[in-house]
Amino acid sequence: MRTRSLGPGATAVGVVGYGAWPLSDGAPRPREDDAVRAIHAALDGGATLIDTADAYCLHEGEAGHNERLVARALSTWRGPREEIVVATKGGYTRPDGAWVSNGRPEHLRRACDRSLAALGVERIDLYQLHGPDPEVPLAESVGLLADLAREGKIRWVGLSNVSVDELRQAREQVAVTTVQNRLNPFFREAVADGVVAYCDQEGLGFLAYSPVGGGRLNKKLPAIAALAPIARRHGVSHHAVALAWVLAQGTSVIVIPAARQPEHVADSQAAARIELTPDELATIDGTEFSIA
Ligand SMILES: NC(=O)c1ccc[n+]([C@@H]2O[C@H](COP(=O)([O-])OP(=O)(O)OC[C@H]3O[C@@H](n4cnc5c(N)ncnc54)[C@H](OP(=O)(O)O)[C@@H]3O)[C@@H](O)[C@H]2O)c1
């Protein structure tokens, strides 16, 4: 698969990675063997980046559920494990299924130790702050990530759900490798607010989350007429065209689509094999992707 750099001094990864969240979500949660099959489909198809988080679970009692699934899939995969980058996150808890920020250093330290155990590794490849905690100065959360990197518990540091100002501030304390923000044809704020341009300029990897629009909006893609001729020309699905558009938003962009179904995984990976023309990109730029 075509690759891009994950960030300064970091390895290159396939431009279509894999986001594992829905494998631990409800509505309905897949059987564990099916979840492992979906992850294997991504790896077999050339994905070399898997995104997970301690908080990808239904409630706090099963924190680390998604990380344990990823660990199980990797331990039973026949390919070269050492080529796979696992990215996880800390900074949220899930009391009664709610999403509650916790960026306090003592929490992040505990969360990182728990993620190390759940993933069954001595060092996490990429550890991301899931999002700034409004109750905690960013410098305190980032300072703890810097400590974890110094101690060798994490190899690379990432930030998620951040602005350019927050990134600049964090980079005064620690070498940031990646940024993970939302980017898809429905939600383009990462382009509008300059985060993608900043990552391009600084050589940071930009991990586009919910790249086909997320669990609800992705279902609207097949009905978007403007995508049909483009999909036909390239011999791919509307979803793959959407992913190719996201990849074209910056030289730093890597997409991490999720899929429970192996055929969706393969379908999305076709985005790595096509390049949209300037006219096709302009058509998608000018198309309304309604979120109603
Ligand atoms: N940092 C953050 O705050 C944050 C927030 C959200 C997500 N994320 C990360 O980003 C990853 C992806 O985001 P997401 O799960 O929100 O949304 P997404 O990847 O945009 O959408 C996932 C949904 O799209 C469907 N899908 C994907 N590719 C398809 C294809 N080629 N054809 C048909 N359907 C397709 C999947 O269906 P099936 O399941 O039926 O296969 C799945 O339900 C997550 O898993 C997570 O790792 C991070």
Side-chain angles (χ1 to χ4, degrees):
M1 185 186 295
R2 182 157 62 95
T3 61
R4 280 180 173 169
S5 165
L6 192 60
T11 187
V13 294
V15 292
V16 180
Y18 181 76
W21 176 24
L23 303 178
S24 295
D25 201 10
R29 174 183 280 182
R31 290 179 34 239
E32 202 164 308
D33 285 350
D34 291 334
V36 167
R37 253 192 290 282
I39 298 172
H40 284 177
L43 298 172
D44 290 340
T48 52
L49 171 68
I50 302 182
D51 182 67
T52 177
D54 60 347
Y56 292 167
C57 56
L58 293 178
H59 55 81
E60 198 54 22
E62 55 167 24
H65 180 274
N66 202 246
E67 296 171 314
R68 287 188 291 276
L69 263 184
V70 169
R72 187 183 148 199
L74 284 169
S75 72
T76 54
W77 185 54
R78 289 165 199 268
R81 163 67 184 93
E82 65 285 357
E83 290 175 14
I84 309 304
V85 173
V86 176
T88 191
K89 319 182 191 74
Y92 273 102
T93 60
R94 304 296 311 281
D96 299 322
W99 289 87
V100 178
S101 262
N102 190 341
R104 282 189 286 280
E106 55 279 16
H107 169 75
L108 291 173
R109 176 169 288 286
R110 257 196 324 270
C112 179
D113 284 340
R114 206 170 50 176
S115 290
L116 284 162
L119 290 167
V121 295
E122 285 178 7
R123 183 175 66 164
I124 290 169
D125 299 328
L126 174 62
Y127 195 66
Q128 306 158 100
L129 180 65
H130 209 143
D133 180 343
E135 308 285 322
V136 178
L138 183 61
E140 288 187 19
S141 305
V142 172
L144 193 276
L145 297 188
D147 289 346
L148 294 174
R150 261 193 301 275
E151 292 163 22
K153 291 188 171 186
I154 66 183
R155 183 168 185 192
W156 298 304
V157 169
L159 299 175
S160 184
N161 298 302
V162 284
S163 66
V164 171
D165 281 351
E166 287 167 332
L167 260 169
R168 283 207 181 95
Q169 185 194 325
R171 291 181 77 208
E172 286 174 15
Q173 283 177 274
V174 72
V176 174
T177 299
T178 58
V179 176
Q180 183 177 146
N181 283 7
R182 180 174 62 182
L183 178 57
N184 58 56
F186 301 91
F187 292 104
R188 306 175 179 195
E189 69 278 4
V191 174
D193 66 18
V195 173
V196 172
Y198 181 83
C199 289
D200 285 359
Q201 180 195 310
E202 300 293 315
L204 310 185
F206 179 91
L207 310 185
Y209 79 66
S210 303
V212 291
R216 182 177 72 85
L217 292 176
N218 90 84
K219 296 194 173 70
K220 289 173 165 278
L221 291 174
I224 293 179
L227 298 179
I230 304 174
R232 238 189 336 268
R233 246 189 324 272
H234 291 278
V236 299
S237 68
H238 288 206
H239 280 74
V241 172
L243 290 168
W245 177 87
V246 176
L247 285 170
Q249 299 312 299
T251 53
S252 60
V253 179
I254 293 156
V255 292
I256 49 168
R260 297 174 175 91
Q261 302 181 55
E263 51 279 24
H264 289 165
V265 172
D267 183 87
S268 292
Q269 290 182 342
R273 297 192 290 273
I274 64 169
E275 197 148 353
L276 302 182
T277 66
D279 280 354
E280 291 168 340
L281 290 169
T283 299
I284 299 172
D285 287 345
T287 297
E288 196 203 339
F289 287 73
S290 165
I291 61 167

